Amino acid sequence: MDNNQNQNNDNNINIQLNEMVAAGVYCNLALVNNSPSEFVLDFIQMMPGVQQANVRSRVILAPLHAKRVLAALQQNIANYEQQFGEIKEVEPFVLGQNNVQA
């Protein structure tokens, strides 16, 4: 084995995904807030006709990682639209005072 192969193996990450996390959670609303040091993504499930909504998952990211997630989402959406067609907005995009609703 040469040095290049050793370096490539050193960059591999063994990612484990348990069954509970693999099942995922359904989300039809996301709120994004930020401070100078972090981005907070709240994934929410709203039920029709119910005023109470539950945060199903919260993800806190460093700014660099938030930018990487944005780039990954943009690339994946472009790939999706190339394969299946444009994703059309059905509701207006709403900007909050200190958060983004998606």
Side-chain angles (χ1 to χ4, degrees):
M1 201 180 297
D2 64 22
N3 268 351
N4 288 339
Q5 286 179 322
N6 282 337
Q7 287 176 349
N8 287 340
N9 289 337
D10 291 342
N11 291 331
N12 290 338
I13 299 172
N14 183 13
I15 298 173
Q16 297 181 1
L17 181 63
N18 68 43
E19 287 182 33
M20 188 173 175
V21 174
V25 294
Y26 179 75
C27 154
N28 53 9
L29 175 68
L31 296 178
V32 179
N33 288 288
N34 69 281
S35 71
S37 60
E38 63 195 15
F39 282 77
V40 179
L41 287 67
D42 285 330
F43 296 96
I44 300 161
Q45 180 179 5
M46 291 184 61
M47 300 301 289
V50 178
Q51 294 293 10
Q52 182 71 29
N54 294 316
V55 174
R56 301 297 308 263
S57 183
R58 173 174 276 184
V59 177
I60 303 168
L61 302 164
L64 175 60
H65 293 121
K67 191 168 188 173
R68 288 177 177 169
V69 168
L70 173 63
L73 277 171
Q74 287 174 323
Q75 183 60 57
N76 276 269
I77 289 171
N79 294 347
Y80 178 95
E81 289 183 328
Q82 185 176 16
Q83 185 174 356
F84 300 108
E86 181 183 357
I87 301 169
K88 297 191 177 165
E89 294 270 349
V90 293
E91 296 176 5
F93 186 72
V94 178
L95 275 179
Q97 191 174 26
N98 199 19
N99 63 58
V100 176
Q101 179 177 328

